[in-house]
Amino acid sequence: MANYKGIILAAGRASRLFPITYAVNKQLLAIYDKPMIYYPLSVLMLSQIKDILIIIKKEDLKSFKSLLGNGKQLGIKISYAIQKKPKGIADAFIIGEKFIGKSNCALILGDNIFYGQNFTEKLMSAKSKNNGATVFSYPVNDPQRYGVVEIDKKNNPIRIIEKPKVPKSNLAVTGLYFYDNQIVNIAKSLKPSKRGELEITDVNKVYLKRKNLYMESFGRGFAWLDTGTPESLLTANIFIA
């Protein structure tokens, strides 16, 4: 099995949650009885990834260090990096280039919560692939809000469209990704989107074009929660409670 390192991206401004997040990083907010950052951290730990980089804003460094330290008490190694400007999800791999080194890399967004059966098996399936990329899909009611993956009859991904106006599928790409060591070069080759960001969808499209993109599906009995709005934050709290 390939050597994997993990990155948690927790540097967003969380403007949709203002004023709650004016003074507190969103990933430090409580989801029931634990800080939000514990949930993505536990996903990487379930994947048996023990070397983890957390990307944050400069002003949040002290808070994260007082909460998690260097990870020794959890049996893992945590380091930190600063994202100076919000340049998109794929920017995480450029920031983390030295950290990634010659390893493969799993990335999880700091506000994504996963819960359900056979989760560890799906993580291990993704981690067992030495080459290519694995994304995780989840059926949603409002696919136009997400990057949407279209699949063929064998459940292989054939197209990914960012926020489609007329979605041909209800399968959203979640904020959890496994990549081989090509990821840094691919991220560096991207051009910023109209939003001025390096889009993770564009990364996945490169792997798709190379016929090297795999997909794991979360179905019934599984929950994927992102906590970007006050409503979804409340839903996540009630669900975990």
Side-chain angles (χ1 to χ4, degrees), residues 89-90 93 107 177 179 190 198-205:
I89 295 171
F93 304 108
L107 171 73
Y177 317 86
Y179 295 110
L190 297 181
L198 301 178
E199 304 287 353
I200 200 72
T201 294
D202 291 339
V203 168
N204 295 331
K205 282 179 178 175

Side-chain angles (χ1 to χ4, degrees), residues 39-239:
Y39 296 89
L41 198 56
S42 69
V43 171
L44 294 178
M45 291 168 75
L46 270 180
S47 309
Q48 294 178 14
I49 294 171
K50 295 193 170 181
D51 197 352
I52 295 166
L53 178 71
I54 302 178
I55 298 177
I56 46 179
K57 298 199 300 286
K58 188 179 180 181
E59 58 266 32
D60 296 325
L61 183 59
K62 192 178 175 187
S63 302
F64 273 89
K65 279 191 167 175
S66 63
L67 176 68
L68 298 169
N70 61 9
K72 195 176 175 185
Q73 76 281 15
L74 298 169
I76 56 176
K77 182 183 174 190
I78 295 176
S79 43
Y80 301 90
I82 306 300
Q83 187 179 41
K84 291 173 185 171
K85 287 181 183 169
K87 289 186 184 172
I89 295 171
D91 185 44
F93 304 108
I94 298 171
I95 293 170
E97 179 180 6
K98 276 187 179 170
F99 167 77
I100 294 166
K102 293 184 175 163
S103 301
N104 289 6
C105 185
L107 171 73
I108 185 167
L109 304 185
D111 61 356
N112 273 223
I113 295 171
F114 297 87
Y115 182 85
Q117 290 179 322
N118 305 324
F119 187 31
T120 307
E121 286 86 342
K122 288 182 186 294
L123 292 170
M124 286 311 184
S125 171
K127 197 182 169 199
S128 69
K129 296 177 179 69
N130 290 332
N131 298 311
T134 301
V135 296
F136 296 79
S137 71
Y138 184 80
V140 293
N141 296 326
D142 47 354
Q144 55 278 10
R145 281 183 55 214
Y146 301 94
V148 170
V149 60
E150 293 176 26
I151 53 175
D152 63 17
K153 287 174 183 172
K154 292 181 179 174
N155 278 351
N156 296 314
I158 50 172
R159 191 177 294 135
I160 297 178
I161 300 169
E162 186 64 31
K163 298 185 173 69
K165 284 178 181 166
V166 186
K168 290 189 177 175
S169 141
N170 71 336
L171 296 175
V173 178
T174 67
L176 173 63
Y177 317 86
F178 281 69
Y179 295 110
D180 64 16
N181 193 248
Q182 294 295 308
I183 183 57
V184 174
N185 290 332
I186 290 171
K188 283 179 161 181
S189 74
L190 297 181
K191 290 188 169 67
S193 65
K194 287 175 186 173
R195 299 193 298 168
E197 296 191 354
L198 301 178
E199 304 287 353
I200 200 72
T201 294
D202 291 339
V203 168
N204 295 331
K205 282 179 178 175
V206 172
Y207 281 100
L208 192 58
K209 202 173 176 183
R210 294 179 180 180
K211 295 187 166 38
N212 224 347
L213 183 74
Y214 305 95
M215 190 178 85
E216 293 282 345
S217 305
F218 298 133
R220 282 187 179 172
F222 201 93
W224 169 54
L225 306 161
D226 90 63
T227 53
T229 64
E231 294 79 14
S232 58
L233 187 64
L234 180 63
T235 301
N237 267 284
I238 292 167
F239 178 83

